[in-house]
Amino acid sequence: MKNTLLIVTLSIGLSACATGGMNAASALAQAPAATRTADAAAAEASAARKPAVAARRTGSSAAEQNEEEGLPSVQLTDELLYKLLASEFAVQRGEWQTAYVTMLGAAQQTRDPRLAKRAAEIALSAKQPDEAMNAVRLWRSLAPNSDEATQYYLSFIILGDNLAEAKPILEQRLKEARPQTRGLLAFQMQRLLARAKDKAAALALLDEVLAPYLDMPEAHLALAQGAFAAGDSQRARREAQLALKAKPDSEIAALALAQVTPDKTEAGKILQDFIAKNPKTREVRLAYARMLVEQKEYAKARAQFEALLKEQPDDLTSLYALGVLEVQANELKAAEQHLTTYLKVLAANPDEERDSSQALLLLAQIAEERKDTEGVLKWLSQIEPGDAYLNAQLKRAQVIAKRDLPGARRLLHEINVSGEREHAQVLLAEAQLLRDANQVPEAMRILQEALKQFPDNTDLLYDYAMLAEKSSQWDAMETSLRKIIQLAPANHHAYNALGYSLAERNLRLEEAYTLIDKALKLAPDDPFIMDSMGWVQFRLGRLKEAEALLRRAYEIRPDVEIAAHLGEVLWVKGQRADAEKLWRDARKKDPQNDTLKNTLARLNVNL
């Protein structure tokens, strides 16, 4: 079974340990939607009016609360209420400029930072950074002690590369921070500065603001990340080494040093040495396991995931990773055990934001390998709507078709599809089921009807062309392939299919050569296109060139059809023993291959 382990590559984000700072992008993502109903806006305005009413009833309690929060005591007059409602209604209508100007004017009139913040949100929602910055400046001037306003402000000036303006703010924040939170703040600042376009200038600023705090390991780690972002690998390594020396048991320092080490073997040794000294480490062991997967050291990676699982038997990452690695090693029983346990643990923890579909697909694959049809269907049926849902339904139909073709087609017809791409996928799947059942005319009918609906869909055109070729409808095949070339001039499959068809029928060989040459230029490493070129060279009588191309194709992909073609070239060249050996090996792989059988029959060869 051939599988690729999709485990996240080693990416060590030091700033993940810091609290998230606000920036323009995150502010935009968190800004209130501009589609609130008029009722909702009116309700908000009504709710905003209640504190003023309460203040009149209870004396100065609301005013005292505003004073404690640093907010002005604002009387919600009818005029102000009208402005707020008018601004929100303008947002709903998509008139961001009217909404922004009205809200910003209200903020200037009342000196209320909440209204300045709302003006900033309106500008961000409309993707107007200059206007948003003006509102943020006002917001910060009205609420100078607001961390949120300062974060917005810093994000804007750093994104605009106004680093000099950021320096005094960063210095002040570090100076006023409690010693126990200063390290965390250093990480936060590095992550914020990483958004600057000028990475070298950002590193220089980080150097300056952290200079008084180099006794903290976190300062060196932040500088390591800043240097790495600026492309200074030597400086990054030096800073990370200083951090690890200051705190030898720091997981984050070990991870940082491995991250900034260009040589992957050396980076792996750093993690391995840390694990040897700190066998209870989880983050470093996990990073090392992922690195081993990237390097295709699957046996070593399994050992690391097994150690992680021993410490935490319900660890979802380790369960899934072991399941995938065992599928790759064809250890299906162990893979099934880990993957089913993964699903049970996941079901018991509904708050886990993980998708079970990949594990279910692997379990279905294991069942298929065992020829357990019911098991395949059981696992596939559990995949819920999402990215893997359509493919799971297509696979279910393929499995069902082996015993109930009408039932499989009914399943395909019941799938709810969205858009041309999904609709075409289902139609292609149905045609393939019919082709596999040797119902080629019905398959062609399905694709003909599909092309009436989606006449320019290149996938439908290509499959229709292949069915036309199978039915010896050469004109229909050529018309479809030429239309693909017209619609998608970079589609190498169409050039190759048309050129190979001509070469196979020994027709218009120079044109066939030109078509395949175009395909080969578009996809120079495709062994099947090399095979086509070798075959057309053979047809043109260029045996030396044909053999060289076919041998290269067969080295890349030892496919039975390539073997059939290479064997025929060798046979014609008089190397009959070599040809027979090649054909025998190919027949062991696929004794029913049509190309091989036809070649042997045509040359009257009995192996």
Side-chain angles (χ1 to χ4, degrees):
M1 300 175 71
K2 298 177 182 178
N3 302 285
T4 301
L5 179 57
L6 300 178
I7 297 178
V8 179
T9 58
L10 177 61
S11 176
I12 308 157
L14 296 178
S15 58
C17 294
T19 55
M22 189 66 68
N23 57 47
S26 62
L28 177 58
Q30 296 177 22
T35 56
R36 291 182 295 181
T37 65
D39 288 343
E44 286 185 12
S46 176
R49 198 173 194 173
K50 287 178 182 177
V53 175
R56 286 196 292 270
R57 291 179 178 175
T58 60
S60 60
S61 59
E64 289 171 355
Q65 183 179 349
N66 285 345
E67 187 176 348
E68 289 176 5
E69 296 175 358
L71 298 172
S73 181
V74 179
Q75 181 69 31
L76 190 59
T77 63
D78 289 339
E79 180 186 359
L80 180 57
L81 176 60
Y82 173 78
K83 287 183 178 180
L84 299 181
L85 286 171
S87 176
E88 295 299 341
F89 291 155
V91 168
Q92 292 173 44
R93 294 191 299 269
E95 299 171 2
W96 75 267
Q97 195 166 22
T98 300
Y100 168 80
V101 170
T102 303
M103 190 64 71
L104 191 65
Q108 291 167 334
Q109 175 189 342
T110 62
R111 313 302 292 168
D112 192 324
R114 292 168 295 188
L115 302 186
K117 176 185 176 182
R118 179 62 183 138
E121 291 170 344
I122 291 169
L124 284 168
S125 294
K127 299 182 181 179
Q128 301 294 325
D130 292 340
E131 285 75 7
M133 183 57 176
N134 290 335
V136 168
R137 285 186 187 278
L138 176 60
W139 177 16
R140 186 166 181 265
S141 70
L142 297 176
N145 297 321
S146 167
D147 282 342
E148 187 181 12
T150 301
Q151 287 286 8
Y152 267 86
Y153 179 69
L154 277 171
S155 293
F156 271 104
I157 60 177
I158 288 170
L159 284 169
D161 272 350
N162 299 319
L163 300 183
E165 196 174 344
K167 181 182 175 182
I169 302 172
L170 297 177
E171 288 177 332
Q172 182 182 1
R173 287 170 72 84
L174 278 168
K175 184 178 180 181
E176 294 176 352
R178 292 175 297 165
Q180 58 267 38
T181 63
R182 197 168 280 144
L184 200 63
L185 188 58
F187 288 136
Q188 185 181 355
M189 288 179 176
Q190 186 279 319
R191 188 167 72 174
L192 193 62
L193 287 168
R195 297 182 174 94
K197 298 182 185 71
D198 189 337
K199 304 300 182 187
L203 176 60
L205 175 55
L206 194 63
D207 259 327
E208 291 178 29
V209 298
L210 291 180
Y213 309 103
L214 293 180
D215 56 332
M216 300 190 311
E218 294 89 348
H220 291 291
L221 288 173
L223 288 168
Q225 283 296 99
F228 188 64
D232 188 345
S233 297
Q234 289 186 346
R235 169 76 188 280
R237 287 202 70 196
R238 188 166 65 250
E239 295 292 350
Q241 286 168 340
L242 287 170
L244 190 58
K245 183 178 179 181
K247 196 172 182 182
D249 63 345
S250 169
E251 287 188 310
I252 194 170
L255 291 169
L257 182 55
Q259 182 197 21
V260 301
T261 299
D263 186 282
K264 293 302 178 185
T265 302
E266 188 180 350
K269 190 174 185 310
I270 291 167
L271 298 178
Q272 195 174 10
D273 290 347
F274 186 88
I275 293 167
K277 295 174 184 175
N278 304 274
K280 296 293 185 182
T281 178
R282 287 197 64 80
E283 293 304 319
V284 174
R285 191 181 293 276
L286 181 59
Y288 182 50
R290 288 171 170 166
M291 180 182 285
L292 290 169
V293 169
E294 290 175 14
Q295 297 170 351
K296 296 182 171 54
E297 296 277 359
Y298 298 131
K300 292 180 180 179
R302 281 180 64 181
Q304 297 302 319
F305 283 117
E306 283 166 354
L308 288 165
L309 194 63
K310 187 176 180 181
E311 290 293 320
Q312 290 187 16
D314 290 344
D315 180 59
L316 287 166
T317 299
S318 301
L319 285 167
Y320 178 74
L322 283 169
V324 177
L325 288 168
E326 287 156 352
V327 168
Q328 288 179 322
N330 206 30
E331 296 179 17
L332 302 186
K333 186 175 181 181
E336 186 175 37
Q337 181 180 352
H338 281 124
L339 291 169
T340 52
T341 303
Y342 169 84
L343 292 175
K344 288 176 184 176
V345 175
L346 191 58
N349 295 273
D351 292 338
E352 282 283 348
E353 294 183 0
R354 294 177 187 245
D355 185 4
S356 64
S357 60
Q358 294 305 313
L360 290 166
L361 286 171
L362 284 171
L363 286 165
Q365 192 173 342
I366 291 170
E368 184 176 25
E369 189 78 5
R370 292 174 174 166
K371 303 189 185 309
D372 177 8
T373 301
E374 295 304 321
V376 175
L377 295 174
K378 179 186 79 170
W379 296 120
L380 292 175
S381 67
Q382 295 180 45
I383 295 177
E384 298 178 351
D387 292 341
Y389 181 75
L390 179 58
N391 286 335
Q393 301 313 303
L394 300 182
K395 182 63 178 178
R396 283 181 67 201
Q398 185 183 47
V399 172
I400 292 170
K402 293 176 182 178
R403 62 187 184 189
D404 180 11
L405 180 58
R409 295 181 70 182
R410 282 195 300 273
L411 172 61
L412 292 175
H413 296 165
E414 291 168 0
I415 297 175
N416 290 323
V417 293
S418 174
E420 177 182 335
R421 187 184 66 83
E422 289 189 359
H423 198 164
Q425 278 184 274
V426 173
L427 292 166
L428 287 166
E430 185 175 9
Q432 185 62 50
L433 296 183
L434 290 162
R435 177 175 178 169
D436 293 342
N438 206 28
Q439 297 185 23
V440 175
E442 177 64 5
M444 289 193 71
R445 185 192 68 78
I446 293 292
L447 292 181
Q448 284 170 341
E449 292 298 318
L451 285 167
K452 289 178 182 177
Q453 190 171 359
F454 308 116
D456 294 337
N457 187 290
T458 55
D459 291 331
L460 292 171
L461 284 164
Y462 188 83
D463 273 32
Y464 179 72
M466 295 303 96
L467 282 173
E469 180 188 39
K470 189 176 179 68
S471 304
S472 300
Q473 298 182 31
W474 311 116
D475 289 344
M477 177 206 70
E478 185 166 342
T479 299
S480 294
L481 291 175
R482 289 198 183 280
K483 185 171 183 180
I484 295 172
I485 290 169
Q486 181 184 5
L487 292 168
N491 189 314
H492 56 275
H493 298 296
Y495 291 102
N496 181 57
L498 183 53
Y500 178 78
S501 175
L502 292 172
E504 181 67 5
R505 289 177 285 145
N506 213 11
L507 298 173
R508 293 149 46 198
L509 293 179
E510 291 298 338
E511 182 183 356
Y513 177 88
T514 301
L515 288 163
I516 298 169
D517 184 58
K518 175 69 173 179
L520 199 57
K521 286 175 180 174
L522 290 169
D525 297 322
D526 189 316
F528 295 109
I529 301 178
M530 291 179 199
D531 172 60
S532 298
M533 180 57 81
W535 193 237
V536 76
Q537 294 279 33
F538 171 71
R539 291 295 201 195
L540 288 165
R542 302 165 186 167
L543 300 185
K544 183 179 178 180
E545 293 87 344
E547 182 183 352
L549 278 162
L550 290 168
R551 284 194 182 281
R552 184 181 168 206
Y554 193 69
E555 285 174 5
I556 298 172
R557 180 72 177 263
D559 182 80
V560 175
E561 292 193 14
I562 299 175
H565 292 150
L566 177 57
E568 184 162 351
V569 173
L570 296 174
W571 183 270
V572 171
K573 288 182 69 179
Q575 299 171 234
R576 298 198 168 187
D578 292 340
E580 288 178 350
K581 182 181 183 305
L582 190 65
W583 286 331
R584 284 193 196 97
D585 292 341
R587 192 168 64 177
K588 288 178 184 177
K589 294 178 184 177
D590 185 3
Q592 301 304 317
N593 184 272
D594 288 338
T595 301
L596 180 59
K597 289 197 297 184
N598 292 339
T599 299
L600 296 176
R602 180 161 39 78
L603 298 176
N604 197 25
V605 176
N606 292 313
L607 296 179

